[in-house]
C-alpha cells in the first residue's frame, strides 16, 4: 500500500514540473506584454524570448516577439518571428499582416522569380489553412467520393447508382485539390531548410570562404532556402533563383 | 670610349653622392687586456675626404700598434651604389682603467664637416686563470662556449644559441663534430655567417672571438630545457715548429640549461606571439555609405612566431558597440627562417559591413610579448570611420511608426496579441504512415470488394456447372436404366432409342449443344480433340446402329448387349473427360 502511494506520487512529479513550466512561459508572456505596453521593447524581447525557449510555443507569442524586434530595429529577427507564427498557424491573419509590413523594409531588389499566375493563386489558397486541416478536409472528401463510387459499383438500385457516380466524381476532384493544398501547406509549414537572413547584411559568394567572389549582398529579413551546409558556410537559394554561399551565422532557420 | 668611361665614372660619382653621407667609428672590443691590441676603424660612406683628423690616441691612453691603414671600397648592388673609405688603427691601452677614445672629424670634398661618436674602452689587467681546452692545448688558449639569447624564456619565444669560439691561437679547418641536442625541444641550425671577429676578455686574458654557428628553438610549455655540450675540431694554423705534424685538436663547450616560465597576467588581447613586431593598418577609405563595405588590412611584421597570430581584435569606441559586421579575415603570410630565427610579414584582410550609420572609431589592438623588454606590448591604432545612409536601410534608420510616411511605408503593423494559446509543435500529419493508411483504406476496400465479387461470380458459375453435371448424370442414369430394361425385354427399338437419347442428352449438356442443333455430326465435331479418335469412331458406330434400328428393327439380343457394354464404356470415358 505504501509503495503504491509512493509510486503514485512519483508519477505526479512530471505533471507538477510541467505545470511549473507552464506558469513560467505564461508568466514570461505576461511580463513581455507588460513591457510592450510600457514601451520597454528590449525588455519585451527578453521576456518573449524566455517564454518561447521551452517546449511549448505559441503563434501569438511569436507575433508579439516579432513586433518587439521590429521596435528594436531588428527587421531580420522580426520577419523570422512572424514567419514562425504563420508556420504554427497559417491562418493567423495578424501575423500575416505584420509580416507584410516588415517586408517593406527588406531589400526590394530580390524579387521572386515569376511563375504562372494560377500556381500563385493555388499557392495562396494552400496557405489559408494548415497542412493538418487540409489533410482532414482531403480525407472527408476522399471518403465521401469513395462512398459514392461504391454505391455505383454495388448497383444497389438505379437511383443510388446515378447519384453515387456524380457525387463520387465531384468529391474526388475536390479531394485531389485538397491533397495538393495539404502537400503545399506541409512543404511551407514543415520545410526545415527555409531560413531568414538575420544579420544586417550578408554577402552571397560563389564559394564557401572569403576566396569566393561576391555575387550580391542581401540584407536582413530576406528569405532563403538552405541547400547545403559546410562548416561555417551555408549554400542558399534566394527567391530570385540566385544560388550562393553565405556565412552560417548570418541566417536562422525558421 | 674615353668619354664613355668618364661619363660612367661621373654618373657613378653622382649616384654615390646621392646616397646618405655617414662618418662612423667601429671598434671590435669593449674590454681589452692592457697592452693587447684591438681594432678601431673610422669609416666615411658616400663622400670623399678633404681633410680628416683622428683622436689624440696617446693622450687618450692608447699606443698605436699599427695604422692608419687606408681602405676604399665601391659597391653597386641592384643599381644602388655606395662608396666607403676606411682608416684602420690597431691600438693597445697603456694602462688599466676606463678610457674614452675621442671623436674623429672629417671635412668632405663638398665642405661637409662630420664627426664620429666617442668609444668607451675598458682596459683590464692580464690574468692567469684558464678555462676549457683539452690536454693537447695550452690551457685556456681556445675556449668554446654556447651562449643563449636568454636564460629565462616564455612559451612561444624563439631562443637562439650561439656557438662562439674564443682563441689566442690561429685556427684552421674548424668544424663541429658534435651537435648540441635537447630532449625537450628541437634545435634547428640557422644560416648564420659571422664575418666579424671581435675581441673579448675572459678572466683577464684577451681573445679573438667569433660566432661559428647558431641554433634556434621555440620555447614550449613551462619547464627546464637541457642542451647537451657541443664539440668542435680544428688544427693550429701556425706552429712554433713549422716541421711538426699538424694535430687535430678538439674542444668541448659547456652544457646549457634554460628555464621556460609561464606568462604572468596575460592581457585579454594577447595574440600569443613572442618576439619583436610592428603592426600597421591600411584602409582604402574612411567614409562609406550603407550599401558599401570596408576592407581593412592589418599587417603584422617582425621576428618571432607569426603563426601564433590568428587574428587581431577590432574594438570600437563604446564598449558593446557593434557598428560593423566583421567577417573572419583572409590571411596572407610570408614567413622565412633567418639567422635571427623565424621572421616575416602577415596580412589580415578583414571585411567589415556597416550595421548602423554614424561616426565611429575603429581600434585594432595587437598585443605581443617583447622578448627584449621582457614585457607585454600593445599596439593600438585608432581609425576614424564614417558611415552615411545609402539605399540600404540600416539598423538605426529603420523607421518607427511616426516616420512611416517619410519612408513611403504604406502598410502598418497590427496590435500585439493579449492572449496566447500554447501547444507543443506536433509532428507532420501529411505524409505520415497514419495518413497513408487512411489514404489506402478506401482503395483497399474497393479492391477487396472487387475481388470478392469476382470470387462469388466464379463460385456461382461453378455451382451452376456442378448442377448441370449432376442433372446430365441423372438423365444418363435414367436412360441407361431404361435401355437395360428394354434389353431384358428384348425391345430393340426402345433399347436403341434409349441409348441414342442417353448420348444426346449427356453430350448435349456437356458440350453445351442446343437441342435444336443436336445431331451426330455436331457431336463428333465438338468431341474432336477432346477424346481419342477411336472413341469418336465407336460413338459414330453406336449412333449409326441406333439410327438404323429405328427403321430396320434389329432384335439380336447379343448385339444389343454389345452396344450396351460399349456405350457404358464410352460414358465412363466421357464422364471422366468432362468432370
Amino acid at each position: 500500500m505504501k509503495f503504491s502511494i509512493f509510486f503514485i506520487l512519483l508519477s505526479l512529479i512530471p505533471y507538477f514540473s510541467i505545470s511549473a513550466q507552464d506558469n513560467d512561459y505564461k508568466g514570461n508572456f505576461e511580463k513581455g506584454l507588460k513591457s510592450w505596453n510600457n514601451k520597454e521593447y528590449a525588455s519585451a524581447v527578453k521576456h518573449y524570448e524566455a517564454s518561447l525557449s521551452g517546449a511549448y510555443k505559441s503563434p501569438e507569442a511569436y507575433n508579439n516577439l516579432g513586433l518587439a524586434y521590429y521596435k528594436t530595429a531588428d527587421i531580420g529577427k522580426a520577419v523570422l518571428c512572424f514567419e514562425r507564427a504563420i508556420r504554427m498557424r497559417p491562418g493567423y491573419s495578424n501575423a500575416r499582416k505584420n509580416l507584410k509590413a516588415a517586408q517593406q523594409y527588406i531589400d526590394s531588389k530580390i524579387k521572386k522569380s515569376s511563375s504562372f499566375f494560377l500556381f500563385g493563386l493555388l499557392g495562396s489558397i494552400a496557405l489559408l489553412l494548415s497542412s493538418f486541416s487540409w489533410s482532414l478536409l482531403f480525407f472527408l472528401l476522399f471518403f465521401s467520393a469513395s462512398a459514392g463510387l461504391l454505391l455505383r459499383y454495388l448497383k444497389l438500385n438505379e437511383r443510388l447508382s446515378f447519384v453515387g457516380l456524380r457525387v463520387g466524381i465531384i468529391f474526388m476532384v475536390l479531394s485531389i485539390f485538397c491533397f495538393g493544398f495539404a502537400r503545399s501547406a506541409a512543404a511551407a509549414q514543415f520545410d526545415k531548410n527555409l531560413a531568414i537572413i538575420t544579420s544586417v547584411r550578408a554577402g552571397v559568394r560563389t564559394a564557401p570562404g572569403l576566396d569566393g567572389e561576391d555575387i550580391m549582398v542581401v540584407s536582413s529579413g530576406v528569405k532563403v532556402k538552405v541547400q547545403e551546409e559546410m562548416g561555417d558556410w551555408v549554400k542558399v537559394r534566394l527567391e530570385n533563383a540566385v544560388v550562393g554561399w553565405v556565412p552560417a551565422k548570418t541566417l536562422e532557420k525558421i | 670610349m674615353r668619354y664613355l668611361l668618364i661619363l660612367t665614372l661621373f654618373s657613378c660619382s653622382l649616384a654615390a653622392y646621392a646616397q646618405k653621407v655617414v662618418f662612423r667609428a667601429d671598434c671590435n672590443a669593449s674590454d681589452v687586456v692592457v697592452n693587447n691590441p684591438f681594432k678601431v676603424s673610422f669609416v666615411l660612406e658616400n663622400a670623399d675626404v678633404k681633410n680628416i683628423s683622428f683622436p689624440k690616441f696617446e693622450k687618450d691612453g692608447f699606443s698605436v700598434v699599427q695604422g692608419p691603414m687606408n681602405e676604399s671600397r665601391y659597391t653597386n648592388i641592384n643599381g644602388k651604389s655606395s662608396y666607403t673609405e676606411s682608416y684602420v688603427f690597431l691600438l693597445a691601452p697603456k694602462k688599466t682603467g676606463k678610457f674614452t677614445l675621442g671623436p674623429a672629424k672629417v671635412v668632405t670634398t663638398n665642405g661637409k664637416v662630420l664627426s664620429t661618436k666617442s668609444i668607451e674602452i675598458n682596459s683590464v689587467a692580464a690574468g692567469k686563470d684558464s678555462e676549457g681546452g683539452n690536454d693537447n692545448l695550452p690551457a685556456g688558449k681556445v675556449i668554446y662556449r654556447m651562449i643563449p639569447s636568454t636564460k629565462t624564456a616564455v612559451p612561444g619565444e624563439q631562443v637562439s644559441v650561439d656557438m662562439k669560439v674564443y682563441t689566442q691561437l690561429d685556427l684552421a679547418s674548424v668544424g663541429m663534430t658534435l651537435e648540441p641536442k635537447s630532449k625537450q625541444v628541437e634545435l634547428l641550425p640557422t644560416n648564420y655567417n659571422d664575418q666579424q671577429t671581435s675581441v673579448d676578455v675572459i678572466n683577464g686574458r684577451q681573445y679573438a672571438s667569433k660566432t661559428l654557428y647558431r641554433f634556434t628553438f621555440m620555447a614550449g610549455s613551462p619547464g627546464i630545457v637541457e642542451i647537451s655540450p657541443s664539440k668542435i675540431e680544428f688544427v693550429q694554423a701556425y706552429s712554433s715548429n713549422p716541421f711538426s705534424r699538424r694535430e687535430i685538436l678538439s674542444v668541448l663547450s659547456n652544457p646549457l640549461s634554460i628555464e621556460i616560465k609561464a606568462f604572468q597576467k596575460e592581457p585579454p588581447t594577447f595574440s600569443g606571439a613572442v618576439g619583436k613586431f610592428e603592426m600597421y593598418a591600411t584602409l582604402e577609405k574612411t567614409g562609406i555609405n550603407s550599401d558599401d563595405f570596408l576592407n581593412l588590412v592589418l599587417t603584422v611584421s617582425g621576428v618571432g612566431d607569426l603563426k601564433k597570430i590568428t587574428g587581431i581584435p577590432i574594438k570600437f569606441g563604446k564598449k558593446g558597440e557593434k557598428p560593423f559586421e566583421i567577417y573572419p579575415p583572409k590571411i596572407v603570410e610570408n614567413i622565412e627562417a633567418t639567422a635571427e630565427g623565424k621572421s616575416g610579414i602577415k596580412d589580415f584582410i578583414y571585411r567589415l559591413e556597416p550595421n548602423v550609420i554614424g561616426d565611429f572609431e575603429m581600434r585594432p589592438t595587437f598585443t605581443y610579448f617583447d622578448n627584449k623588454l621582457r614585457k607585454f606590448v600593445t599596439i593600438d591604432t585608432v581609425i576614424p570611420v564614417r558611415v552615411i545612409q545609402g539605399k540600404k536601410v540600416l539598423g538605426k534608420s529603420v523607421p518607427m511608426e511616426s516616420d512611416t510616411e517619410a519612408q513611403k511605408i504604406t502598410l502598418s503593423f497590427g496590435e500585439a496579441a493579449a492572449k496566447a494559446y500554447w501547444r507543443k509543435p506536433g509532428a507532420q500529419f501529411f505524409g505520415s504512415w497514419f495518413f497513408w493508411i487512411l489514404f489506402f483504406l478506401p482503395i483497399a476496400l474497393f479492391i477487396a470488394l472487387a475481388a470478392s465479387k469476382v470470387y462469388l461470380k466464379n463460385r456461382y458459375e461453378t455451382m451452376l456447372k456442378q448442377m448441370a453435371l449432376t442433372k446430365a448424370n441423372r438423365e444418363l442414369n435414367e436412360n441407361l436404366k431404361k435401355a437395360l430394361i428394354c434389353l431384358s425385354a428384348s425391345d430393340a427399338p426402345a433399347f436403341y432409342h434409349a441409348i441414342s437419347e442417353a448420348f444426346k442428352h449427356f453430350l448435349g449438356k456437356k458440350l453445351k449443344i442446343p437441342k435444336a442443333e443436336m445431331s451426330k455430326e455436331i457431336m463428333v465435331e465438338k468431341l474432336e480433340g477432346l477424346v481419342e479418335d477411336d472413341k469418336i469412331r465407336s460413338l459414330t458406330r453406336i449412333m449409326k446402329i441406333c439410327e438404323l434400328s429405328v427403321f430396320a428393327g434389329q432384335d439380336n439380343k447379343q448385339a444389343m448387349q454389345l452396344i450396351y457394354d460399349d456405350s457404358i464404356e464410352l460414358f465412363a470415358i466421357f464422364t471422366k473427360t468432362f468432370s
Side-chain angles (χ1 to χ4, degrees):
Chain A
M1 185 65 189
K2 280 179 183 175
F3 278 111
S4 308
I5 294 165
F6 173 74
F7 282 117
I8 289 166
L9 288 173
L10 201 68
S11 64
L12 287 173
I13 289 172
Y15 171 76
F16 286 119
S17 64
I18 288 167
S19 298
Q21 280 179 9
D22 284 1
N23 293 335
D24 193 34
Y25 63 71
K26 285 177 182 170
N28 277 319
F29 179 80
E30 293 301 326
K31 283 178 192 170
L33 200 61
K34 198 175 172 186
S35 299
W36 169 264
N37 291 333
N38 293 335
K39 297 191 187 303
E40 293 162 357
Y41 301 121
S43 172
V45 165
K46 201 176 99 186
H47 290 306
Y48 284 136
E49 284 281 15
S51 73
L52 288 161
S53 60
Y56 282 84
K57 311 284 178 195
S58 158
E60 290 83 7
Y62 273 124
N63 178 62
N64 289 8
L65 178 60
L67 286 170
Y69 268 126
Y70 163 70
K71 288 289 186 185
T72 54
D74 196 338
I75 285 295
K77 285 276 178 72
V79 169
L80 180 72
C81 291
F82 296 138
E83 288 276 7
R84 281 178 177 167
I86 294 164
R87 175 168 277 204
M88 278 198 82
R89 193 189 299 155
Y92 191 9
S93 57
N94 203 16
R96 286 196 176 277
K97 181 185 171 187
N98 289 335
L99 177 64
K100 276 190 178 174
Q103 281 170 339
Q104 292 173 119
Y105 301 105
I106 300 172
D107 193 350
S108 58
K109 279 186 286 185
I110 298 165
K111 298 264 188 218
K112 264 190 182 181
S113 47
S114 58
S115 57
F116 183 52
F117 80 98
L118 193 61
F119 294 150
L121 179 71
L122 292 174
S124 305
I125 294 169
L127 296 176
L128 288 176
L129 292 177
S130 69
S131 166
F132 182 73
S133 304
W134 280 122
S135 299
L136 287 185
L137 197 57
F138 160 72
F139 280 118
L140 188 70
L141 293 167
F142 185 60
F143 287 147
S144 304
S146 303
L149 294 173
L150 192 68
L151 286 175
R152 166 72 182 177
Y153 185 73
L154 294 174
K155 290 179 183 168
L156 295 173
N157 69 49
E158 209 164 299
R159 187 177 165 72
L160 275 178
S161 176
F162 177 81
V163 173
L165 179 67
R166 272 143 192 81
V167 167
I169 289 169
I170 292 166
F171 279 20
M172 190 56 80
V173 170
L174 288 174
S175 73
I176 289 167
F177 273 99
C178 284
F179 183 87
F181 292 147
R183 193 172 176 275
S184 297
Q189 228 180 315
F190 295 96
D191 191 345
K192 289 176 182 171
N193 292 321
L194 289 175
I196 301 290
I197 300 287
T198 51
S199 176
V200 173
R201 286 168 142 221
V204 183
R205 293 168 182 273
T206 53
L210 294 170
D211 293 335
E213 282 179 30
D214 268 329
I215 301 171
M216 64 185 298
V217 176
V218 290
S219 62
S220 65
V222 169
K223 197 174 186 177
V224 296
K225 190 173 175 80
V226 174
Q227 291 188 333
E228 195 181 335
E229 291 177 50
M230 190 187 285
D232 293 338
W233 291 82
V234 177
K235 189 180 185 182
V236 295
R237 188 181 194 278
L238 304 181
E239 287 188 323
N240 60 356
V242 168
V243 177
W245 294 83
V246 294
K249 64 176 184 178
T250 60
L251 54 80
E252 250 182 81
K253 285 186 178 174
I254 297 172
Chain B
M1 185 64 196
R2 195 177 66 176
Y3 289 118
L4 185 66
L5 186 66
I6 290 166
L7 194 65
T8 309
L9 285 171
F10 180 70
S11 61
C12 287
S13 68
L14 270 180
Y17 281 117
Q19 304 294 324
K20 195 180 178 185
V21 177
V22 176
F23 185 45
R24 67 168 199 273
D26 294 336
C27 180
N28 70 344
S30 56
D31 295 326
V32 286
V33 175
V34 67
N35 292 325
N36 274 269
F38 65 97
K39 192 166 78 175
V40 177
S41 307
F42 300 98
V43 184
L44 178 65
E45 289 180 12
N46 305 319
D48 284 328
V49 177
K50 187 180 177 184
N51 188 16
I52 189 164
S53 62
F54 300 109
K56 305 289 182 202
F57 300 122
E58 296 291 337
K59 194 181 167 187
D60 289 342
F62 298 95
S63 59
V64 178
V65 179
Q66 197 178 352
M69 293 167 281
N70 183 232
E71 292 173 3
S72 45
R73 185 182 294 169
Y74 171 80
T75 55
N76 191 317
I77 300 165
N78 295 332
K80 196 177 179 181
S81 57
S82 64
Y83 173 72
T84 57
E85 190 164 356
S86 310
Y87 295 87
V88 183
F89 290 89
L90 283 179
L91 305 175
K94 288 191 271 189
K95 52 186 177 182
T96 58
K98 286 191 175 178
F99 298 98
T100 304
L101 204 56
K105 282 186 182 174
V106 70
V107 181
T108 62
T109 47
N110 55 355
K112 218 170 191 176
V113 180
L114 302 162
S115 59
T116 63
K117 287 181 180 175
S118 299
I119 298 168
E120 299 285 333
I121 297 291
N122 185 26
S123 172
V124 295
K128 289 176 181 174
D129 297 336
S130 62
E131 183 190 342
N134 65 10
D135 295 340
N136 299 327
L137 285 171
K141 291 284 183 188
V142 179
I143 299 168
Y144 180 46
R145 282 182 177 175
M146 285 201 290
I147 302 165
S149 57
T150 179
K151 285 191 173 177
T152 312
V154 289
E157 183 172 357
Q158 198 167 242
V159 181
S160 63
V161 179
D162 286 351
M163 310 289 151
K164 196 169 184 180
V165 66
Y166 303 81
T167 180
Q168 291 177 329
L169 306 173
D170 290 322
L171 306 181
S173 307
V174 184
M176 186 186 283
T177 54
L178 180 66
E179 285 195 2
K181 282 177 185 168
S182 171
K183 287 178 182 172
Q184 292 82 23
V185 291
E186 188 187 4
L187 286 164
L188 299 168
T190 63
N191 296 323
Y192 186 77
N193 186 16
D194 186 11
Q195 298 289 341
Q196 296 294 321
T197 305
S198 51
V199 168
D200 280 292
V201 175
I202 299 170
N203 296 330
R205 298 173 76 167
Q206 186 166 318
Y207 295 86
S209 65
K210 189 174 182 178
T211 300
L212 300 177
Y213 308 99
R214 176 173 284 174
F215 286 80
T216 62
F217 70 88
M218 202 62 74
S221 49
I224 303 290
V225 173
E226 304 278 359
I227 300 173
S228 65
S230 166
K231 191 179 182 182
I232 53 166
E233 285 186 352
F234 55 87
V235 292
Q236 199 174 338
Y238 301 104
S239 171
S240 54
N241 181 2
F243 299 105
S244 66
R245 204 174 113 252
R246 287 195 171 185
E247 273 187 279
I248 296 171
L249 305 170
S250 64
V251 62
L252 200 66
S253 78
N254 54 314
L256 268 185
S257 176
I258 297 164
E259 188 184 2
I260 299 170
K261 284 185 175 175
F263 289 112
Q264 300 292 319
K265 290 182 184 175
E266 289 177 36
T269 53
F270 179 46
S271 60
V274 180
K276 180 73 180 168
F277 299 99
E278 285 180 347
M279 183 191 79
Y280 55 91
T282 314
L283 197 61
E284 54 193 3
K285 50 196 170 186
T286 55
I288 57 164
N289 65 35
S290 59
D291 307 316
D292 212 347
F293 60 86
L294 286 172
N295 265 336
L296 173 67
V297 183
L298 296 171
T299 306
V300 177
S301 62
V303 180
D305 193 3
L306 282 158
K307 289 270 180 201
K308 289 256 181 189
I309 313 166
T310 53
I312 295 168
I314 301 169
K315 296 175 186 171
F316 293 93
K318 289 174 191 171
K319 198 176 180 184
E321 195 177 46
K322 200 188 174 191
F324 288 89
E325 196 69 39
I326 304 168
Y327 292 94
K330 184 180 176 182
I331 299 172
V332 181
E333 61 181 24
N334 182 16
I335 299 170
E336 53 188 24
T338 64
E340 301 299 317
K342 280 185 182 173
S343 69
I345 190 163
K346 199 164 183 175
D347 285 335
F348 297 87
I349 305 161
Y350 284 93
R351 181 189 168 110
L352 294 97
E353 291 181 356
N355 287 339
V356 286
I357 56 169
D359 291 315
F360 309 101
E361 280 189 348
M362 200 184 285
R363 199 182 289 271
T365 308
F366 170 61
T367 303
Y368 70 96
F369 186 83
D370 193 311
N371 60 343
K372 296 281 188 298
L373 302 172
R374 310 306 299 175
K375 64 175 187 179
F376 289 103
V377 175
T378 298
I379 305 172
D380 199 355
T381 310
V382 177
I383 310 162
V385 184
R386 170 168 287 181
V387 181
I388 58 167
Q389 184 66 58
K391 287 179 186 171
K392 191 71 66 187
V393 180
L394 291 185
K396 268 185 181 171
S397 61
V398 170
M400 295 296 116
E401 280 174 342
S402 55
D403 306 327
T404 49
E405 273 187 31
Q407 292 292 325
K408 292 182 182 174
I409 298 299
T410 52
L411 298 171
S412 59
F413 284 82
E415 289 297 311
K419 198 173 179 186
Y421 298 93
W422 299 85
R423 66 177 166 90
K424 277 186 179 176
Q428 187 179 348
F429 172 61
F430 180 87
S432 65
W433 61 269
F434 185 59
F435 177 92
W436 292 115
I437 284 175
L438 286 177
F439 180 80
F440 285 110
L441 200 65
I443 296 170
L445 195 69
F446 261 98
I447 292 168
L449 206 66
S452 64
K453 199 174 175 182
V454 169
Y455 172 75
L456 288 172
K457 192 181 172 187
N458 287 341
R459 198 167 169 197
Y460 178 72
E461 282 177 358
T462 312
M463 208 165 71
L464 286 177
K465 275 183 186 174
Q466 194 66 39
M467 282 168 71
L469 194 68
T470 312
K471 195 180 174 185
N473 286 344
R474 202 168 52 240
E475 283 177 356
L476 176 66
N477 286 339
E478 281 173 10
N479 283 323
L480 286 177
K481 204 174 173 181
K482 203 173 170 182
L484 192 64
I485 292 164
C486 292
L487 179 66
S488 303
S490 299
D491 185 356
F495 170 78
Y496 287 113
H497 178 75
I499 292 293
S500 173
E501 284 301 304
F503 275 110
K504 280 178 182 173
H505 276 112
F506 185 78
L507 291 175
K509 295 279 182 199
K510 296 291 180 190
L511 299 172
K512 293 180 181 172
I513 303 166
K515 279 184 180 176
E517 293 173 15
M518 177 56 78
S519 67
K520 186 178 67 185
E521 289 74 22
I522 295 288
M523 275 195 291
V524 169
E525 191 185 319
K526 293 265 183 183
L527 279 171
E528 275 176 0
L530 293 174
V531 291
E532 290 167 3
D533 289 348
D534 60 326
K535 306 298 174 201
I536 295 170
R537 278 197 296 277
S538 179
L539 173 69
T540 312
R541 182 178 60 83
I542 292 167
M543 290 302 286
K544 201 173 179 180
I545 291 167
C546 288
E547 281 171 16
L548 287 173
S549 68
V550 174
F551 306 105
Q554 291 183 14
D555 54 356
N556 186 341
K557 198 175 181 179
Q558 199 175 355
M560 283 162 67
Q561 184 64 47
L562 277 171
I563 291 293
Y564 182 78
D565 292 341
D566 288 348
S567 299
I568 292 294
E569 190 186 340
L570 274 179
F571 280 125
I573 290 162
F574 291 157
T575 306
K576 197 177 176 183
T577 303
F578 297 118
S579 62

